[in-house]
Amino acid sequence: MSDGTTGPASRRIFIDKQSPKAFHSLVQTSEAVRATAAEAGLDRTTVELINLRVSQLNGCAYCLDLHTRKALRAGESSERLAVLPAWRDTEVFTPVERAALELAEATNDPGDTAAQTDACTAARQVLTEDQISAAIWVAITIGAFNRVSILSRHPVRPHATDQP
């Protein structure tokens, strides 16, 4: 008797491969968002913190793996990455990063308008309007990538550097 989890009917479609033009448009959007963030003065580690926090909230293993490696390459510390899920309870993030993380969380829950208002109000204390917009766009874009990877069940495999 089958449990319904194996076989051709249950195999997920890699929607990025199935619809490459649509996926390429998403990649182009993310490139424009990355440039917008840089122009606004959000550094690469802040962008990766947003990518990671949204991916944590959405439970996207593939994006967590990818953006952890990108954050480390950008100079992020393993200590800060380890405490990112509890960022509010630490003193290791700057006011700019804290504002960006709060915006990322609020953006990820579009139904919580009170959280969005609070996040934008707090962000205005330390971020420019361009930085606020860029942080929100980063969160929106990684959320879309999370959905592509989760719905496709993109695998996370050990990396050569992870082997003993």
Side-chain angles (χ1 to χ4, degrees):
M1 181 172 191
S2 173
D3 64 1
T5 60
T6 61
S10 65
R11 182 180 58 82
R12 296 283 178 107
I13 297 168
F14 281 17
I15 63 173
D16 50 331
K17 306 289 188 241
Q18 189 67 35
S19 304
K21 287 182 183 176
F23 184 72
H24 181 68
S25 293
L26 182 57
V27 170
Q28 287 181 311
T29 298
S30 74
E31 290 168 355
V33 167
R34 187 172 33 248
T36 297
E39 290 166 7
L42 290 181
D43 63 30
R44 188 66 192 172
T45 56
T46 301
V47 169
E48 292 306 337
L49 290 172
I50 295 169
N51 286 334
L52 284 165
R53 187 64 189 128
V54 172
S55 297
Q56 288 170 343
L57 294 170
N58 289 327
C60 183
Y62 185 86
C63 292
L64 284 167
D65 177 59
L66 175 67
H67 290 285
T68 296
R69 288 184 283 117
K70 285 185 173 190
L72 289 168
R73 279 195 305 267
E76 188 54 79
S77 74
S78 58
E79 173 195 14
R80 286 168 31 108
L81 294 178
V83 299
L84 183 58
W87 65 269
R88 284 184 174 83
D89 300 324
T90 73
E91 297 179 14
V92 301
F93 298 100
T94 69
V96 167
E97 292 164 340
R98 296 174 77 77
L101 289 167
E102 190 169 0
L103 284 168
E105 289 182 0
T107 301
N108 202 55
D109 187 0
D112 191 345
T113 56
Q116 292 164 17
T117 299
D118 292 346
C120 285
T121 300
R124 285 182 185 278
Q125 303 301 309
V126 295
L127 299 175
T128 66
E129 289 187 358
D130 286 343
Q131 290 172 325
I132 291 169
S133 179
I136 291 169
W137 273 108
V138 171
I140 289 168
T141 306
I142 190 61
F145 278 110
N146 289 165
R147 282 150 184 79
V148 169
S149 290
I150 291 167
L151 293 170
S152 297
R153 285 198 182 153
H154 287 157
V156 176
R157 296 185 177 96
H159 303 280
T161 57
D162 296 341
Q163 303 302 321

